[in-house]
Amino acid sequence: MKMVKIGNIELPEFPLLLAPMEDVSDPPFRRLCKTHGADMMYSEFISSEGLIRDAIKSRMKLDIFDYERPVGIQIFGGDEEAMEMSSKIVSTVKPDLVDINFGCPVKKVVCRGAGAGVLKDVDLMVRLTKAVIKGTDLPVTVKTRLGWDESSINIDEVAERLQDIGVQALTIHARTRAQMYKGHSDWSHIARVKNNPRITMPIFGNGDIDSPEKALQYKNEYGIDGIMIGRAAIGYPWIFNEIKHYFKTGEHLPAPTVIDRVEAARNHLKWSMEWKGERLGIVEMRRHYTNYFKGIHSFKEFKQKLVTTDEPENLFAIMKEIEQVYAGYEFV
């Protein structure tokens, strides 16, 4: 079997990565995805300026746990000095790698000359990356997009220049910044980067993978080294093991039952309360229930209870009731 290597990190052949997602990829969610087969994960993205200012929210995002390894911490920013200093800070908590976000399309990030905003200025992207590499002994990787818009796709130049300065893996979201998260991703650009004889670092693809069939099709069609999964894992951490099983056997694992879904939601809630504190853990979990119980008929009343109940024991009792009411429920 051919391992995929990032620095001294050894990943299995064709690894499945969990994408860094703001307000989603926190330790409780990562733990759940790890349990269900994710091979490598990343923190939510962290502002380099926030880290240096000692912003509490930024510092909390540095929390990593041994059971998650290998795990990367992702930073973003538009200032070289701040990026170097934040990579030094990140190194102190000993993740397995430091990842740079040059792909976030959100306006407030782009306006600060960070995230996908850097796609307009490849020289700046190179300088910022050099600053991060200078600040750490850990492997440095990058996540980016195809380019700013359809008329300025520059991922070929970006990949070569980043590899030349020491970047050890590249994840490409197969959309431009102008597309945001809409329209179709175009993986042919990723395949072209992967097939460039100059490129030796691992190339991971990201965008629209939401089923085992699609994962296998893209693996075969585009020749990438692995896939990063984002939105499809929200409320559905089973996708990692489902893809792995399908690769091995060509068959589907049985779909998660209501019991499986309740167990995942219960664990997610429990771990959120442990990490964030009871109150915040309960409140921030509310955004996830819709995803865990998607597709269950006549669920509105239970959902209402889940998002308005404040006591842990009552929430766990509601989940128990969901298990009983929907025992044997079959998803259509």
Side-chain angles (χ1 to χ4, degrees), residues 16 62 72 113 134 179 187 189 192 216-217 221 241 258 269 271 276 299 313 320 331:
L16 303 178
L62 289 177
K134 189 178 166 194
Q179 280 181 280
W187 285 55
H189 298 288
R192 196 175 60 250
L216 185 61
Q217 180 199 335
E221 204 169 313
N241 277 337
V258 172
L269 172 62
W271 297 334
K276 300 174 185 179
F299 194 74
E313 56 277 13
K320 193 81 193 153
F331 290 88

Side-chain angles (χ1 to χ4, degrees), residues 290-304:
T290 301
N291 295 306
Y292 282 119
F293 300 113
K294 194 183 282 178
I296 301 178
H297 292 304
S298 314
F299 194 74
K300 202 172 174 185
E301 196 181 317
F302 278 117
K303 192 201 160 196
Q304 193 55 29

